[in-house]
Amino acid sequence: MSENVYILGIDMLKFGKYPDRTFAQLGGEAALLALDDAGLSVHDVQAMYCGSVFGAYDMTGQAIMREIGQTGIPVTNISNACATGASAFREAWIAVKSGLYDVVLAVGVEKMPRGMLGAGHETGISLEGLFGSASMPAVFAESGMEHAGKYGTTFEQFAKVSVKNHHHSTMNPKAVYQKETPLEEVMGSEMIAYPNTKLMCSVNVDGSAAAVVVSEKKARELGLTRAIRVLASALASDPWNPRNPIMPDVNGCTQLAAKSAYEQAGIDPRDVSLVELHDCFATAELLHYENLQLCGLGEAGRLIDEGVTALGGRVPVNVSGGLLSKGHPLGATGIANMYEVALHLRGEAGARQVQGARIGLTHVVGLGTASAVHLFEKA
Amino acid sequence: MTQTDTLGPRPALPWIRLDGPEPFVEGRLCRACGARTAATHLACPACGARDSIETYRAPTTGKLHAYSIVRRSYPGVPVPFISAIVDLDDGLTLKGNLINVAAEPEALPVGMPVRMVFGDALGRTDKDGASYVAFFFEPSA
């Protein structure tokens, strides 16, 4: 067993539309960038985990190896909804932590279908608009309205999440959008599913990200100068909740994963310097402030009002621009979150650098349901 | 007479029952832990007990728990409509369209009493031309 596990190299492609590139090309490019960042070659890699939702049935991991070098190592393809990338990373972490390997590559890659995402459980007729909506904007709107019903959270408070994250993205050249969106523009943009307007929905784009995960022994051999220590890797599924899955529950499994991560790391939530969390819709971000224990129950609205989670605040959230503005290619998102945190822990985040960043948290949650929470610190 | 005519309308969800005098929702109750679900499972999803599930006729009254006013859906789906999460009086949760109320947040207080009504599935028919029965919610106060 490896005492500690490290990210030695990590990188991502700028999220956007890549109609002329294959899953394997996109994933392969990120893999090569991550290997370069680690100062390693494909010949050093002993196992590989590839996360993709829409490429999972297609042996995408092996196709990536054909792009970067077919060394015959074990390759496993992983699909876990929006937690896919983080789940691939976690498998790499387990493989190194177990002592079986010293160098493992985790890749997340996605090419997204066009249009609105949602799950339909169809009988002989379409059920959308007959028994409410299964579209993702509506499902996450309902989660937000549950919070509003309990705590009085307002449309304006949800909209402020988009203002903040779009502002952050103006400092991130790898975000698909880098555009300010004032509050009136967010609230006045096309209403998709109240209270989520178009500017409160994440961006449907292609993308990839990759991480080189190494053992304590390997990290010491290669030097810890830019290494990122994995303090915790937690994955949870949805525990029983009487309304789930009629009303999909993104809270329960996030709370479980967060609790496990804090326990593994032996830290207090107040020790976290920055957070990249799953803002698939503006309504979701506020719920996760509470689920990740950044504040107490019912306090999320106050947090966004007071700027606590903006760059310069006590615990900046989604300084990358988040899924709302950086983009959300499902399988790539989890590792891209880790890339952002690694930049800050290394002090390499440029204009959006969180000063004095010591510990970073990443979170994703995919309906069905899977949630992953990871904690990192600079080695 | 076609076979469809003979069979009559079909339930739009597996837990809608049309074999009584009136349509109703059939719920599932775990005798071991009291959990209620609409869908069937191999064991109780709350406690894991086997052979503990009994079916029952769900009540038709409840309260609005959460909602969204949907203004853009998939192509071809008429909007707006209110997608509502309703907790029935016995604790069973269902999702459905909330009708006969303004599609405005001011008209939709959480906790609002609602009743379940059954009706044709908005004119939707399957490839055999069969019609379907759905449930909807409307304010009951």
Side-chain angles (χ1 to χ4, degrees), chain A residues 144-169:
Chain A
M145 291 309 286
E146 179 179 67
H147 195 271
K150 270 193 222 164
Y151 305 118
T153 323
T154 63
F155 174 30
E156 181 173 325
Q157 286 171 325
F158 289 126
K160 282 180 178 174
V161 170
S162 285
V163 176
K164 169 180 72 72
N165 294 354
H166 287 129
H167 169 65
H168 288 161
S169 75

mmCIF file of all heavy atoms in Angstrom, chain A residues 144-169:
data_model
loop_
_atom_site.group_PDB
_atom_site.id
_atom_site.type_symbol
_atom_site.label_atom_id
_atom_site.label_comp_id
_atom_site.label_asym_id
_atom_site.label_seq_id
_atom_site.Cartn_x
_atom_site.Cartn_y
_atom_site.Cartn_z
ATOM 1 N N GLY A 144 -33.953 23.316 -6.367
ATOM 2 C CA GLY A 144 -33.774 24.675 -5.866
ATOM 3 C C GLY A 144 -35.016 25.189 -5.176
ATOM 4 O O GLY A 144 -34.943 25.830 -4.127
ATOM 5 N N MET A 145 -36.188 24.869 -5.758
ATOM 6 C CA MET A 145 -37.439 25.341 -5.159
ATOM 7 C C MET A 145 -37.738 24.629 -3.841
ATOM 8 O O MET A 145 -38.426 25.171 -2.980
ATOM 9 C CB MET A 145 -38.598 25.178 -6.151
ATOM 10 C CG MET A 145 -38.508 26.130 -7.349
ATOM 11 S SD MET A 145 -38.249 27.860 -6.879
ATOM 12 C CE MET A 145 -39.890 28.268 -6.277
ATOM 13 N N GLU A 146 -37.226 23.407 -3.694
ATOM 14 C CA GLU A 146 -37.342 22.731 -2.393
ATOM 15 C C GLU A 146 -36.589 23.550 -1.341
ATOM 16 O O GLU A 146 -37.077 23.779 -0.231
ATOM 17 C CB GLU A 146 -36.766 21.318 -2.499
ATOM 18 C CG GLU A 146 -36.823 20.541 -1.200
ATOM 19 C CD GLU A 146 -36.250 19.134 -1.358
ATOM 20 O OE1 GLU A 146 -35.024 19.009 -1.594
ATOM 21 O OE2 GLU A 146 -37.014 18.157 -1.259
ATOM 22 N N HIS A 147 -35.385 24.001 -1.712
ATOM 23 C CA HIS A 147 -34.577 24.833 -0.812
ATOM 24 C C HIS A 147 -35.290 26.160 -0.541
ATOM 25 O O HIS A 147 -35.337 26.637 0.603
ATOM 26 C CB HIS A 147 -33.207 25.073 -1.456
ATOM 27 C CG HIS A 147 -32.166 25.602 -0.514
ATOM 28 N ND1 HIS A 147 -31.988 26.946 -0.293
ATOM 29 C CD2 HIS A 147 -31.266 24.979 0.274
ATOM 30 C CE1 HIS A 147 -31.002 27.120 0.584
ATOM 31 N NE2 HIS A 147 -30.545 25.936 0.944
ATOM 32 N N ALA A 148 -35.865 26.732 -1.600
ATOM 33 C CA ALA A 148 -36.601 27.995 -1.456
ATOM 34 C C ALA A 148 -37.780 27.814 -0.495
ATOM 35 O O ALA A 148 -38.060 28.683 0.337
ATOM 36 C CB ALA A 148 -37.085 28.479 -2.817
ATOM 37 N N GLY A 149 -38.468 26.671 -0.624
ATOM 38 C CA GLY A 149 -39.616 26.405 0.238
ATOM 39 C C GLY A 149 -39.219 26.282 1.700
ATOM 40 O O GLY A 149 -39.955 26.703 2.594
ATOM 41 N N LYS A 150 -38.050 25.696 1.948
ATOM 42 C CA LYS A 150 -37.592 25.491 3.329
ATOM 43 C C LYS A 150 -37.010 26.758 3.934
ATOM 44 O O LYS A 150 -37.211 27.036 5.113
ATOM 45 C CB LYS A 150 -36.479 24.427 3.340
ATOM 46 C CG LYS A 150 -36.959 23.005 3.515
ATOM 47 C CD LYS A 150 -35.751 22.119 3.836
ATOM 48 C CE LYS A 150 -35.818 20.825 3.079
ATOM 49 N NZ LYS A 150 -34.558 20.116 3.034
ATOM 50 N N TYR A 151 -36.230 27.499 3.124
ATOM 51 C CA TYR A 151 -35.408 28.565 3.700
ATOM 52 C C TYR A 151 -35.671 29.948 3.117
ATOM 53 O O TYR A 151 -34.988 30.903 3.478
ATOM 54 C CB TYR A 151 -33.920 28.227 3.516
ATOM 55 C CG TYR A 151 -33.536 26.885 4.082
ATOM 56 C CD1 TYR A 151 -33.047 25.870 3.256
ATOM 57 C CD2 TYR A 151 -33.668 26.624 5.453
ATOM 58 C CE1 TYR A 151 -32.690 24.632 3.768
ATOM 59 C CE2 TYR A 151 -33.314 25.385 5.978
ATOM 60 C CZ TYR A 151 -32.821 24.390 5.125
ATOM 61 O OH TYR A 151 -32.483 23.181 5.639
ATOM 62 N N GLY A 152 -36.579 30.046 2.160
ATOM 63 C CA GLY A 152 -36.868 31.357 1.590
ATOM 64 C C GLY A 152 -35.841 31.838 0.577
ATOM 65 O O GLY A 152 -35.773 33.038 0.267
ATOM 66 N N THR A 153 -35.035 30.945 0.057
ATOM 67 C CA THR A 153 -34.033 31.302 -0.963
ATOM 68 C C THR A 153 -34.752 31.906 -2.172
ATOM 69 O O THR A 153 -35.805 31.423 -2.568
ATOM 70 C CB THR A 153 -33.275 30.041 -1.396
ATOM 71 O OG1 THR A 153 -33.092 29.216 -0.257
ATOM 72 C CG2 THR A 153 -31.926 30.396 -2.015
ATOM 73 N N THR A 154 -34.162 32.969 -2.754
ATOM 74 C CA THR A 154 -34.877 33.695 -3.809
ATOM 75 C C THR A 154 -34.285 33.449 -5.198
ATOM 76 O O THR A 154 -33.127 33.043 -5.338
ATOM 77 C CB THR A 154 -34.828 35.208 -3.536
ATOM 78 O OG1 THR A 154 -33.459 35.632 -3.593
ATOM 79 C CG2 THR A 154 -35.410 35.546 -2.169
ATOM 80 N N PHE A 155 -35.096 33.735 -6.203
ATOM 81 C CA PHE A 155 -34.670 33.707 -7.612
ATOM 82 C C PHE A 155 -33.392 34.532 -7.773
ATOM 83 O O PHE A 155 -32.427 34.118 -8.420
ATOM 84 C CB PHE A 155 -35.826 34.264 -8.456
ATOM 85 C CG PHE A 155 -35.558 34.449 -9.919
ATOM 86 C CD1 PHE A 155 -34.664 33.640 -10.618
ATOM 87 C CD2 PHE A 155 -36.233 35.454 -10.623
ATOM 88 C CE1 PHE A 155 -34.441 33.833 -11.988
ATOM 89 C CE2 PHE A 155 -36.019 35.654 -11.979
ATOM 90 C CZ PHE A 155 -35.110 34.839 -12.658
ATOM 91 N N GLU A 156 -33.368 35.710 -7.144
ATOM 92 C CA GLU A 156 -32.207 36.592 -7.276
ATOM 93 C C GLU A 156 -30.950 35.950 -6.685
ATOM 94 O O GLU A 156 -29.862 36.049 -7.261
ATOM 95 C CB GLU A 156 -32.503 37.926 -6.580
ATOM 96 C CG GLU A 156 -31.363 38.914 -6.701
ATOM 97 C CD GLU A 156 -31.708 40.297 -6.154
ATOM 98 O OE1 GLU A 156 -32.869 40.710 -6.303
ATOM 99 O OE2 GLU A 156 -30.819 40.942 -5.584
ATOM 100 N N GLN A 157 -31.103 35.272 -5.558
ATOM 101 C CA GLN A 157 -29.927 34.613 -4.963
ATOM 102 C C GLN A 157 -29.398 33.510 -5.873
ATOM 103 O O GLN A 157 -28.183 33.360 -6.041
ATOM 104 C CB GLN A 157 -30.278 34.065 -3.568
ATOM 105 C CG GLN A 157 -30.385 35.172 -2.527
ATOM 106 C CD GLN A 157 -30.929 34.681 -1.203
ATOM 107 O OE1 GLN A 157 -31.783 33.798 -1.145
ATOM 108 N NE2 GLN A 157 -30.434 35.279 -0.122
ATOM 109 N N PHE A 158 -30.301 32.725 -6.464
ATOM 110 C CA PHE A 158 -29.857 31.686 -7.408
ATOM 111 C C PHE A 158 -29.148 32.347 -8.597
ATOM 112 O O PHE A 158 -28.110 31.871 -9.073
ATOM 113 C CB PHE A 158 -31.046 30.851 -7.893
ATOM 114 C CG PHE A 158 -31.638 29.945 -6.855
ATOM 115 C CD1 PHE A 158 -32.998 29.980 -6.562
ATOM 116 C CD2 PHE A 158 -30.853 29.021 -6.170
ATOM 117 C CE1 PHE A 158 -33.564 29.128 -5.612
ATOM 118 C CE2 PHE A 158 -31.407 28.165 -5.217
ATOM 119 C CZ PHE A 158 -32.761 28.220 -4.936
ATOM 120 N N ALA A 159 -29.710 33.445 -9.082
ATOM 121 C CA ALA A 159 -29.134 34.117 -10.255
ATOM 122 C C ALA A 159 -27.738 34.660 -9.966
ATOM 123 O O ALA A 159 -26.874 34.707 -10.848
ATOM 124 C CB ALA A 159 -30.069 35.244 -10.712
ATOM 125 N N LYS A 160 -27.509 35.075 -8.719
ATOM 126 C CA LYS A 160 -26.193 35.615 -8.344
ATOM 127 C C LYS A 160 -25.076 34.592 -8.532
ATOM 128 O O LYS A 160 -23.916 34.964 -8.714
ATOM 129 C CB LYS A 160 -26.227 36.096 -6.887
ATOM 130 C CG LYS A 160 -26.908 37.434 -6.698
ATOM 131 C CD LYS A 160 -26.904 37.826 -5.221
ATOM 132 C CE LYS A 160 -27.537 39.200 -5.027
ATOM 133 N NZ LYS A 160 -27.667 39.501 -3.568
ATOM 134 N N VAL A 161 -25.421 33.306 -8.456
ATOM 135 C CA VAL A 161 -24.426 32.248 -8.687
ATOM 136 C C VAL A 161 -23.864 32.376 -10.106
ATOM 137 O O VAL A 161 -22.652 32.295 -10.328
ATOM 138 C CB VAL A 161 -25.053 30.851 -8.480
ATOM 139 C CG1 VAL A 161 -24.113 29.756 -8.952
ATOM 140 C CG2 VAL A 161 -25.441 30.650 -7.026
ATOM 141 N N SER A 162 -24.756 32.613 -11.069
ATOM 142 C CA SER A 162 -24.315 32.750 -12.459
ATOM 143 C C SER A 162 -23.487 34.014 -12.652
ATOM 144 O O SER A 162 -22.502 34.007 -13.388
ATOM 145 C CB SER A 162 -25.517 32.781 -13.398
ATOM 146 O OG SER A 162 -26.056 31.484 -13.522
ATOM 147 N N VAL A 163 -23.894 35.104 -12.010
ATOM 148 C CA VAL A 163 -23.129 36.351 -12.108
ATOM 149 C C VAL A 163 -21.693 36.088 -11.642
ATOM 150 O O VAL A 163 -20.723 36.444 -12.311
ATOM 151 C CB VAL A 163 -23.783 37.465 -11.271
ATOM 152 C CG1 VAL A 163 -22.932 38.734 -11.304
ATOM 153 C CG2 VAL A 163 -25.196 37.739 -11.772
ATOM 154 N N LYS A 164 -21.572 35.435 -10.503
ATOM 155 C CA LYS A 164 -20.250 35.150 -9.914
ATOM 156 C C LYS A 164 -19.417 34.240 -10.818
ATOM 157 O O LYS A 164 -18.266 34.553 -11.141
ATOM 158 C CB LYS A 164 -20.443 34.494 -8.537
ATOM 159 C CG LYS A 164 -19.163 33.918 -7.941
ATOM 160 C CD LYS A 164 -19.401 33.275 -6.573
ATOM 161 C CE LYS A 164 -20.159 31.958 -6.622
ATOM 162 N NZ LYS A 164 -19.378 30.828 -7.160
ATOM 163 N N ASN A 165 -20.001 33.119 -11.234
ATOM 164 C CA ASN A 165 -19.208 32.142 -11.983
ATOM 165 C C ASN A 165 -18.847 32.652 -13.374
ATOM 166 O O ASN A 165 -17.745 32.390 -13.859
ATOM 167 C CB ASN A 165 -19.922 30.790 -12.035
ATOM 168 C CG ASN A 165 -20.015 30.149 -10.646
ATOM 169 O OD1 ASN A 165 -19.435 30.685 -9.691
ATOM 170 N ND2 ASN A 165 -20.722 29.047 -10.532
ATOM 171 N N HIS A 166 -19.772 33.389 -14.002
ATOM 172 C CA HIS A 166 -19.422 33.980 -15.290
ATOM 173 C C HIS A 166 -18.317 35.025 -15.121
ATOM 174 O O HIS A 166 -17.418 35.131 -15.954
ATOM 175 C CB HIS A 166 -20.667 34.594 -15.961
ATOM 176 C CG HIS A 166 -21.616 33.563 -16.503
ATOM 177 N ND1 HIS A 166 -22.961 33.556 -16.218
ATOM 178 C CD2 HIS A 166 -21.416 32.489 -17.297
ATOM 179 C CE1 HIS A 166 -23.542 32.526 -16.826
ATOM 180 N NE2 HIS A 166 -22.619 31.869 -17.490
ATOM 181 N N HIS A 167 -18.362 35.772 -14.032
ATOM 182 C CA HIS A 167 -17.283 36.736 -13.770
ATOM 183 C C HIS A 167 -15.945 35.997 -13.610
ATOM 184 O O HIS A 167 -14.933 36.387 -14.201
ATOM 185 C CB HIS A 167 -17.588 37.560 -12.517
ATOM 186 C CG HIS A 167 -16.424 38.365 -12.047
ATOM 187 N ND1 HIS A 167 -15.886 39.399 -12.789
ATOM 188 C CD2 HIS A 167 -15.630 38.252 -10.937
ATOM 189 C CE1 HIS A 167 -14.842 39.894 -12.149
ATOM 190 N NE2 HIS A 167 -14.660 39.222 -11.029
ATOM 191 N N HIS A 168 -15.939 34.938 -12.816
ATOM 192 C CA HIS A 168 -14.698 34.175 -12.631
ATOM 193 C C HIS A 168 -14.120 33.703 -13.973
ATOM 194 O O HIS A 168 -12.909 33.721 -14.182
ATOM 195 C CB HIS A 168 -14.955 32.949 -11.738
ATOM 196 C CG HIS A 168 -15.192 33.282 -10.296
ATOM 197 N ND1 HIS A 168 -15.809 32.414 -9.422
ATOM 198 C CD2 HIS A 168 -14.900 34.388 -9.560
ATOM 199 C CE1 HIS A 168 -15.876 32.962 -8.215
ATOM 200 N NE2 HIS A 168 -15.338 34.157 -8.273
ATOM 201 N N SER A 169 -14.996 33.288 -14.862
ATOM 202 C CA SER A 169 -14.526 32.707 -16.128
ATOM 203 C C SER A 169 -13.817 33.729 -17.014
ATOM 204 O O SER A 169 -13.071 33.349 -17.918
ATOM 205 C CB SER A 169 -15.691 32.083 -16.894
ATOM 206 O OG SER A 169 -16.500 33.086 -17.471
#
